[in-house]
Amino acid sequence: MRFFFLCYVFLFVSSFQKMTINDDDYFYKITEELIPIIHKTDKILIIQRRELDQFKKTGGDKYLISSKYIDMFLHKEDPSKQIEIAYDLLRINRGRYDFISMACNFNLAITLENISPKLAMQFVSAAIKYDEKLEGKYYLGHLYHIKGRIYYNEKAYASAMHNFNKALLSFRNDHQHNNTIYIASMYNNFGLTYSKLNKIKEAHKETERGISILQNKGNLSREEIDFLHIMKGNSGFYLYKLKNYPAAEKLLLEEFEYYKNKESFCSESIVSSQRLFDLYLATHQKEKQNQIIDYLIKTEPKLKNTHSRIVANEVIQEYYVSTNNYTPLKAVSEKLIGLNHSYYDENKRNVKKISDLLNNQIIRNNKEKDDYKAYQQKRKNLLFIIFILIVFGVFGIILYNIKKHNKREKELLKNNGKILEQNNEFQKEKIKNLLQSLNLKIDTEKAFLEYLKKNKKINGDNDSEQILKELFLKVNNLIQIDRRSYDLIIEGNIENKLFLEKLSVLCPTLTNTELKFCTYYRMNLSSKEISSLENTTNGTIRVYKTKIKSKLKLNKEDDLSCFLNNI
């Protein structure tokens, strides 16, 4: 049974063995290594080659996965490529490393945020579960931020605020990283949410808290300075809505001047221009309106983002409407129609491309899942067959051993029977020798008495000496007979003792004399032999035999010796 149990445990462990080595920190360190060089493709490629070399040396899947993971950073601007890489990584990873599963779902959520919010929500929720499983030590705050942002875009402002609060709490509890910019960004998100709820004072208050957090930090990084100006622009916009125009103009101008000559912040500069134009329009500052329009007319052709071009032309269109300048208004309106068509076509193409890609990935995943399930089922069936064969093998071995053991027992019993039979014959032979010795002793004793009688009648010295010599020999014979008899008695004593114990239990009414006679009957001694040993008559012996048979509840025709030998 122990062998059977070990076989079962081995099969169970083999069937459900799963990788438990935790290398999630390894992938996190690679991420931390890549973030500072996010815009330096050549340096990212060096790290990727390093991981591929490790894979070639060791053959470890960890390095293959890490090299594929780095592809995400190489193709950060290509949504289609991001989706393809994320799905490939999930397939290669197969749930082995929670960090990779979390990162892929996180990346898919960001990529699909504006294309398919519902699908993006599924991915970010899955990513949160993985990060929580990892004790939230990686990107939990950022995941709650993305989830809140999806709710915000879907106008579910209460849910958005809830997730922004969870993100803020996560950033504050993370003492291993400098999360100042992320903490400030959550207050900025609170402001945006309050603004959508038309709570402009609360929006301005929360945004100012975010601004003060960054300003109080000191030694700001380029990223922090960039974001600080975004928050100042938002704060200026809220002041504009509160009709505090001087303060609003100051902050909006600061933002505009910071972004207007930076190509990477064209979208921000256009938004800032739009806000300033609205403010100048409300305050009737035509000269400043003209400055903004001149900037937009000059910048618009350089813009690569269609949506930013639409916003810029909408501001220009509004300006021509306010000045009743119909000729350029017509041209701008026609351009806007074309841009809107282009923007619609771009979105349509992007949505179709990504939808096709997602559908293909889903079909591929389903096929791989079906293939994997079929493989797992075949594997389980094979293991079950092996298990059944082992069970039958074990039972076969057990049955064979039982049969072999029974055969050995039978042979042993047979041999023991032969040994007992031989032992009985030997004991009978000893008893015969004992009786012969006793008879010889009796004859010698009688002869000894006869010699003594002769000795009284004889007077001659020579004859007396001869008689004494013969007596000496007879006495010596008696001593030898007694020694042999003693040895025989000692040999049979243990066996007789066991026999008498069993007989006493079987028939407690037997007397000690009757028990002693039973030992004689067991030896197949005749009444004459027993009477000679006990120095009594044959009749007395027969009476004892009748009593013994009666107590043992035997019939007259039953053989007492045979009965006693079977005990």
Side-chain angles (χ1 to χ4, degrees):
M1 290 304 291
R2 184 182 177 189
F3 174 76
F4 172 78
F5 175 75
L6 290 174
C7 290
Y8 177 78
V9 170
F10 174 76
L11 287 173
F12 182 86
V13 172
S14 298
S15 300
F16 299 97
Q17 187 177 15
K18 187 178 179 181
M19 185 177 187
T20 56
I21 298 172
N22 182 8
D23 286 314
D24 293 296
D25 284 339
Y26 181 80
F27 301 108
Y28 175 69
K29 287 176 183 177
I30 289 177
T31 308
E32 294 289 286
E33 194 177 358
L34 291 168
I35 287 173
I37 57 172
I38 191 71
H39 300 294
K40 299 176 181 178
T41 304
D42 54 338
K43 292 187 177 181
I44 295 174
L45 285 170
I46 291 171
I47 297 173
Q48 188 177 50
R49 280 195 293 271
R50 180 192 72 193
E51 296 303 303
L52 285 171
D53 288 340
Q54 285 294 320
F55 172 66
K56 290 175 183 177
K57 287 179 183 177
T58 65
D61 284 348
K62 178 175 77 174
Y63 303 108
L64 176 64
I65 292 170
S66 63
S67 64
K68 190 71 176 176
Y69 174 59
I70 294 169
D71 273 340
M72 284 186 173
F73 295 84
L74 289 171
H75 302 281
K76 59 185 180 298
E77 303 298 334
D78 187 345
S80 300
K81 199 69 178 175
Q82 289 285 310
I83 293 171
E84 186 180 340
I85 293 167
Y87 272 103
D88 283 344
L89 257 177
L90 288 171
R91 275 193 294 272
I92 297 169
N93 186 47
R94 289 198 180 279
R96 283 177 290 183
Y97 303 107
D98 290 330
F99 182 91
I100 293 297
S101 298
M102 179 269 295
C104 290
N105 281 280
F106 187 10
N107 196 58
L108 287 167
I110 293 172
T111 305
L112 299 172
E113 180 181 357
N114 296 318
I115 298 170
S116 177
K118 186 176 180 181
L119 199 55
M121 184 64 76
Q122 292 178 10
F123 285 123
V124 76
S125 297
I128 288 171
K129 287 181 180 178
Y130 282 113
D131 208 332
E132 287 176 341
K133 187 178 176 183
L134 295 165
E135 300 177 353
K137 64 179 181 179
Y138 296 119
Y139 300 117
L140 192 59
H142 299 286
L143 292 169
Y144 282 125
H145 177 200
I146 294 298
K147 192 170 184 178
R149 205 161 70 188
I150 295 170
Y151 278 124
Y152 175 86
N153 292 335
E154 292 297 295
K155 300 181 181 180
Y157 299 121
S159 297
M161 190 71 81
H162 174 71
N163 280 278
F164 290 149
N165 270 305
K166 292 181 79 171
L168 177 62
L169 183 62
S170 180
F171 288 134
R172 281 178 171 171
N173 291 336
D174 181 7
H175 302 295
Q176 295 181 349
H177 302 91
N178 179 15
N179 291 320
T180 306
I181 188 171
Y182 304 123
I183 293 171
S185 72
M186 290 305 103
Y187 288 106
N188 183 64
N189 288 339
F190 295 153
L192 292 170
T193 308
Y194 280 129
S195 175
K196 292 294 182 180
L197 295 169
N198 204 29
K199 297 180 179 179
I200 307 303
K201 288 184 179 179
E202 288 86 344
H204 179 254
K205 180 180 178 182
E206 293 295 335
T207 307
E208 283 296 315
R209 287 183 67 181
I211 291 170
S212 64
I213 287 170
L214 277 184
Q215 287 179 333
N216 293 333
K217 176 179 179 286
N219 296 321
L220 299 181
S221 66
R222 170 57 72 75
E223 184 184 18
E224 289 170 332
I225 294 171
D226 291 341
F227 189 70
L228 178 61
H229 282 89
I230 289 175
M231 286 196 294
K232 284 184 176 182
N234 288 339
S235 181
F237 178 66
Y238 302 142
L239 288 170
Y240 159 71
K241 284 194 170 184
L242 292 170
K243 298 184 178 181
N244 187 349
Y245 298 128
E249 183 179 3
K250 180 181 178 182
L251 289 173
L252 291 171
L253 270 174
E254 185 178 347
E255 180 192 26
F256 175 72
E257 292 297 329
Y258 182 78
Y259 286 126
K260 73 176 183 179
N261 295 319
K262 291 182 173 62
E263 290 186 9
S264 57
F265 290 97
C266 286
S267 297
E268 285 78 5
S269 68
I270 298 301
V271 171
S272 181
S273 299
Q274 184 185 33
R275 289 173 173 177
L276 273 172
F277 178 80
D278 290 341
L279 186 147
Y280 293 146
L281 194 64
T283 56
H284 307 290
Q285 300 182 61
K286 290 186 178 181
E287 185 177 346
K288 291 182 178 180
Q289 289 177 35
N290 293 335
Q291 291 175 359
I292 294 297
I293 296 303
D294 289 341
Y295 169 78
L296 290 175
I297 291 172
K298 182 181 177 182
T299 305
E300 187 269 334
K302 300 177 184 178
L303 297 174
K304 295 179 181 179
N305 186 287
T306 305
H307 182 263
S308 296
R309 292 185 67 192
I310 291 171
V311 174
N313 280 283
E314 283 176 345
V315 175
I316 295 170
Q317 184 187 51
E318 188 176 358
Y319 171 75
Y320 289 140
V321 169
S322 66
T323 58
N324 297 318
N325 196 343
Y326 297 111
T327 302
L329 175 61
K330 182 180 178 182
V332 171
S333 298
E334 289 175 355
K335 184 187 283 189
L336 270 172
I337 292 170
L339 286 172
N340 279 308
H341 281 303
S342 297
Y343 186 63
Y344 173 79
D345 291 339
E346 283 177 14
N347 285 337
K348 187 177 179 181
R349 283 195 300 272
N350 288 334
V351 169
K352 186 178 184 307
K353 185 179 179 181
I354 291 176
S355 296
D356 291 343
L357 181 61
L358 285 171
N359 289 332
N360 290 334
Q361 292 293 345
I362 291 168
I363 291 169
R364 185 178 174 186
N365 276 352
N366 289 337
K367 185 178 182 303
E368 287 186 355
K369 284 180 181 178
D370 292 340
D371 292 343
Y372 185 69
K373 284 180 181 178
Y375 165 75
Q376 287 291 90
Q377 190 60 45
K378 286 181 181 178
R379 189 166 179 265
K380 286 180 181 179
N381 292 341
L382 179 61
L383 289 172
F384 181 72
I385 291 169
I386 294 171
F387 176 75
I388 293 298
L389 290 174
I390 289 174
V391 170
F392 278 113
V394 170
F395 278 117
I397 291 169
I398 292 170
L399 290 173
Y400 173 77
N401 287 333
I402 291 172
K403 188 175 180 181
K404 190 176 180 181
H405 178 73
N406 290 340
K407 186 177 179 182
R408 193 180 298 138
E409 287 287 330
K410 287 179 181 178
E411 290 178 355
L412 187 62
L413 289 172
K414 186 176 180 182
N415 291 334
N416 287 340
K418 289 180 180 179
I419 291 169
L420 288 172
E421 187 177 346
Q422 291 173 358
N423 188 50
N424 286 335
E425 292 297 325
F426 179 69
Q427 294 297 330
K428 288 178 182 179
E429 190 64 29
K430 286 198 295 184
I431 291 167
K432 286 181 182 180
N433 292 334
L434 178 60
L435 290 174
Q436 289 175 358
S437 298
L438 289 173
N439 289 331
L440 181 59
K441 181 180 179 183
I442 291 168
D443 293 339
T444 303
E445 288 172 345
K446 287 180 180 178
F448 182 73
L449 291 173
E450 290 297 325
Y451 278 115
L452 288 175
K453 288 177 183 180
K454 286 181 182 180
N455 190 41
K456 289 181 181 181
K457 295 177 182 180
I458 299 172
N459 294 321
D461 293 333
N462 292 332
D463 293 335
S464 297
E465 185 178 351
Q466 182 63 31
I467 290 169
L468 287 172
K469 286 180 179 180
E470 291 179 1
L471 284 172
F472 177 78
L473 290 172
K474 296 295 183 182
V475 170
N476 188 55
N477 287 337
L478 287 173
I479 292 169
Q480 294 299 323
I481 290 166
D482 286 341
R483 284 178 180 173
R484 287 205 314 273
S485 299
Y486 179 77
D487 291 340
L488 291 169
I489 289 166
I490 290 299
E491 288 178 10
N493 190 41
I494 296 172
E495 186 182 346
N496 284 336
K497 184 178 180 182
L498 292 172
F499 166 73
L500 290 174
E501 285 177 357
K502 289 181 180 180
L503 185 60
S504 297
V505 173
L506 183 64
C507 187
T509 57
L510 290 172
T511 64
N512 289 335
T513 303
E514 289 168 344
L515 288 169
K516 183 170 67 172
F517 283 168
C518 284
T519 59
Y520 293 144
Y521 293 129
R522 185 167 173 264
M523 298 178 204
N524 288 321
L525 297 183
S526 65
S527 297
K528 181 180 180 182
E529 289 171 332
I530 297 170
S531 64
S532 175
L533 290 171
E534 293 298 322
N535 195 22
T536 185
T537 62
N538 290 344
T540 302
I541 299 304
R542 284 194 292 271
V543 170
Y544 272 109
K545 187 174 185 179
T546 302
K547 287 182 179 180
I548 291 168
K549 289 180 74 173
S550 176
K551 288 184 179 181
L552 292 172
K553 298 181 181 180
L554 297 176
N555 298 322
K556 289 182 180 181
E557 63 273 12
D558 290 335
D559 189 338
L560 180 59
S561 298
C562 183
F563 175 81
L564 294 173
N565 275 304
N566 288 329
I567 295 176

